[in-house]
Amino acid sequence: MRNPRHCAPIAALVCLALAQAGCTEKKAQALVVAAQTFASEAKGAVQNVRALYLADISSPDETFEKQSAQVAVAIEKEILSGSSMNDEKFAELLKGTTLSNPALSEINQEFDLLERAYSTFASMYESLPQGYLFSRQAVKNSEKHAINLTVQLINMAEEVEKHPLQFRGRRILLQERLKDVAGITNEELRQASIGILSKEIVHLRQEEEKANQQAILQCLRAAEAGKRVAQLIRDYDKLSLEDILTLTGDALGFASAITDSADVKALVAKYNGIRETIENDPYWAPLLDKAITDSGGTN
Amino acid sequence: MPKRDNDAILLEQMGHAVTDLEVRFRRSTLEERVALRPMLEGMLADYTRYRLRLLKEGTITTEEDLREMQAIKKEIDKAASKQSLLKAIARTVAFIATKI
């Protein structure tokens, strides 16, 4: 039988540990929230960039009526040219003007991998509030991924900034209409059509610029959230709960400031500087997978 | 005006070529479309792969990284089970201590 005199100090220690644990549990919860915020911002960024890439390689998106009209024009041309229909031509008629792009699935695979990476990152910490006492090393091991995923977002922003993407389908339709305008003989009608087209061309330019800028800003918002998560992990043992909440709050405030910013070039330059700081930091550099960071290409 | 890199110049040239050919393709007869389609689809795929290569230069995450993150998640999940067991034991000890 246990000596009751031994049980009392054990009980006191247990109570003390549980009381301390209350504070650490909240710190763990703060890290979970920070990681989830990062993942959510990053997924938004990847979705924006994916949409841009798909728009850049897509053919015009056309209605059933427009497609039917195109088929009618093709049949008319066949009749006028006096050539006879065969199965090869009929197959072409069925395909319409839609193109198949074998590389489309490769682009989608790449973006799927990126989206999964950010979801998986956030999911790592789901049980942390319940398991923080034995997770110190696991959290430390996750730091490398926080840094890599952050730098990856800065790289993506830089790539969009250096090589902006276009709404190719809309460009094709406008070019077709420009050709049609040249054939209008009625001067009044021609001028009216040019007026309408001019506005649509300016709209296209503005919308392309806006879409590229939004994608860049979303990448940088997410990178900011990621940088804070990496900092939280790095200093997790040293930070108080208050410090952690302040850091997370600052990150959210800064992220919304990024959204309002118009100077995309300056922001990309700033984050390139942050990436360089990470690459040259004696603590963080060894954690960074260096495969890509020299964004050279064929320069 | 900032200096453009070679990738930007090449992408622009490829993009112009694909778009011009697609505009022509859409106005062609069926016979011409049959002849143009393989070339056009090939050019579009080349352009897409060029874009993809540049994107991948900035991508760090690999399938191996995903596996590593899943392993870390398992570790933390396991730690949560261990901790809940410990808490249960601690509560039991505390309860017993109050009864002695």
Side-chain angles (χ1 to χ4, degrees), chain A residues 29-104:
Chain A
Q29 276 164 350
L31 180 55
V32 172
V33 171
Q36 282 171 347
T37 304
F38 172 42
S40 157
E41 295 284 3
K43 278 176 80 180
V46 174
Q47 281 163 5
N48 275 5
V49 177
R50 186 203 291 252
L52 268 183
Y53 272 74
L54 294 183
D56 190 66
I57 56 171
S58 294
S59 293
D61 189 15
E62 282 166 327
T63 59
F64 176 80
E65 286 72 24
K66 184 82 194 285
Q67 288 181 41
S68 307
Q70 282 173 343
V71 170
V73 168
I75 293 171
E76 185 69 20
K77 277 186 182 167
E78 280 301 294
I79 294 167
L80 289 175
S81 69
S83 71
S84 58
M85 181 63 74
N86 60 26
D87 196 50
E88 191 181 36
K89 287 189 201 169
F90 186 70
E92 183 58 43
L93 194 62
L94 282 179
K95 284 176 191 165
T97 50
T98 308
L99 300 174
S100 88
N101 182 351
L104 182 65

Side-chain angles (χ1 to χ4, degrees), chain A residues 50-271:
Chain A
R50 186 203 291 252
L52 268 183
Y53 272 74
L54 294 183
D56 190 66
I57 56 171
S58 294
S59 293
D61 189 15
E62 282 166 327
T63 59
F64 176 80
E65 286 72 24
K66 184 82 194 285
Q67 288 181 41
S68 307
Q70 282 173 343
V71 170
V73 168
I75 293 171
E76 185 69 20
K77 277 186 182 167
E78 280 301 294
I79 294 167
L80 289 175
S81 69
S83 71
S84 58
M85 181 63 74
N86 60 26
D87 196 50
E88 191 181 36
K89 287 189 201 169
F90 186 70
E92 183 58 43
L93 194 62
L94 282 179
K95 284 176 191 165
T97 50
T98 308
L99 300 174
S100 88
N101 182 351
L104 182 65
S105 59
E106 295 164 33
I107 278 265
N108 275 322
Q109 269 171 19
E110 183 68 10
F111 283 111
D112 287 346
L113 171 72
L114 290 170
E115 274 194 47
R116 268 193 297 138
Y118 292 99
S119 306
T120 308
F121 179 80
S123 75
M124 276 193 297
Y125 306 102
E126 278 165 359
S127 311
L128 189 61
Q130 293 81 42
Y132 54 87
L133 286 178
F134 303 106
S135 299
R136 186 165 294 191
Q137 190 53 46
V139 170
K140 205 78 205 144
N141 292 343
S142 72
E143 186 181 3
K144 167 196 161 184
H145 299 289
I147 295 163
N148 284 336
L149 292 171
T150 299
V151 170
Q152 185 165 269
L153 285 158
I154 299 173
N155 291 339
M156 212 187 309
E158 191 191 29
E159 174 56 22
V160 175
E161 202 261 329
K162 275 168 71 181
H163 309 124
L165 296 115
Q166 303 174 346
F167 295 163
R168 223 174 59 81
R170 282 176 63 186
R171 284 182 175 228
I172 287 171
L173 289 179
L174 280 173
Q175 285 185 38
E176 279 185 344
R177 285 172 58 199
L178 278 170
K179 282 181 195 282
D180 292 340
V181 164
I184 299 175
T185 49
N186 180 313
E187 185 58 22
E188 203 178 326
L189 189 60
R190 200 163 66 91
Q191 287 306 323
S193 301
I194 289 173
I196 294 168
L197 264 176
S198 306
K199 282 185 187 142
E200 288 186 36
I201 289 168
V202 175
H203 273 145
L204 176 64
R205 186 189 70 206
Q206 288 174 337
E207 285 170 36
E208 278 184 348
E209 276 176 12
K210 195 175 168 198
N212 277 284
Q213 285 196 359
Q214 277 179 345
I216 292 169
L217 293 175
Q218 186 57 39
C219 286
L220 298 181
R221 269 171 63 104
E224 184 60 34
K227 190 165 70 93
R228 299 302 166 120
V229 174
Q231 274 174 336
L232 283 184
I233 296 170
R234 178 178 178 164
D235 301 324
Y236 193 67
D237 295 334
K238 289 179 237 157
L239 295 173
S240 68
L241 174 64
E242 197 184 351
D243 294 334
I244 288 182
L245 294 176
T246 306
L247 258 177
T248 313
D250 285 352
L252 291 175
F254 196 81
S256 70
I258 288 176
T259 309
D260 298 335
S261 173
D263 194 352
V264 173
K265 272 192 189 305
L267 268 176
V268 172
K270 180 190 158 191
Y271 278 84

Side-chain angles (χ1 to χ4, degrees), chain A residues 4 7 10-11 14 25 53 56-57 59-60 62 70 77-78 85 88-89 92-93 95-101 103 106-107 110-111 113-114 116-117 120-121 123-124 126-128 130-135 138 141-142 144-145 148-149 152 155 159 162-165 168 172-173 175-176 179-180 289 292 297-299, chain B residues 2 5-8 10-12 15-16 18-20 22-31 33-34 37 40-41 44-66 68-70 72-73 75-77 79-84 86-87 90-91 93-94 96-98 100:
Chain A
C7 285
I10 291 171
V14 165
E25 185 177 340
Y53 272 74
D56 190 66
I57 56 171
S59 293
E62 282 166 327
Q70 282 173 343
K77 277 186 182 167
E78 280 301 294
M85 181 63 74
E88 191 181 36
K89 287 189 201 169
E92 183 58 43
L93 194 62
K95 284 176 191 165
T97 50
T98 308
L99 300 174
S100 88
N101 182 351
E106 295 164 33
I107 278 265
E110 183 68 10
F111 283 111
L113 171 72
L114 290 170
R116 268 193 297 138
T120 308
F121 179 80
S123 75
M124 276 193 297
E126 278 165 359
S127 311
L128 189 61
Q130 293 81 42
Y132 54 87
L133 286 178
F134 303 106
S135 299
N141 292 343
S142 72
K144 167 196 161 184
H145 299 289
N148 284 336
L149 292 171
Q152 185 165 269
N155 291 339
E159 174 56 22
K162 275 168 71 181
H163 309 124
L165 296 115
R168 223 174 59 81
I172 287 171
L173 289 179
Q175 285 185 38
E176 279 185 344
K179 282 181 195 282
D180 292 340
D289 286 346
I292 54 89
T298 57
N299 301 339
Chain B
D5 61 39
N6 292 338
D7 292 321
L10 201 54
L11 275 174
E12 189 175 271
H16 287 329
V18 174
T19 304
D20 286 344
E22 188 164 350
V23 171
R24 202 180 122 197
F25 171 82
R26 289 163 59 85
R27 296 275 164 128
S28 299
T29 63
L30 287 176
E31 203 167 349
R33 269 164 50 180
V34 169
R37 182 178 285 278
L40 178 54
E41 290 182 346
L44 185 60
D46 288 346
Y47 174 76
T48 306
R49 290 197 175 106
Y50 200 97
R51 279 266 181 210
L52 183 60
R53 183 177 71 72
L54 292 174
L55 178 73
K56 278 187 167 178
E57 279 177 14
T59 304
I60 305 174
T61 308
T62 61
E63 291 288 351
E64 179 56 33
D65 286 317
L66 288 184
E68 263 183 46
M69 285 193 271
Q70 279 155 359
I72 292 172
K73 178 181 165 43
E75 256 180 75
I76 295 177
D77 289 348
S81 308
K82 219 196 278 184
Q83 190 171 320
S84 84
L86 183 80
K87 270 189 172 178
R91 282 196 194 105
V93 171
I96 292 168
T98 60
I100 295 171

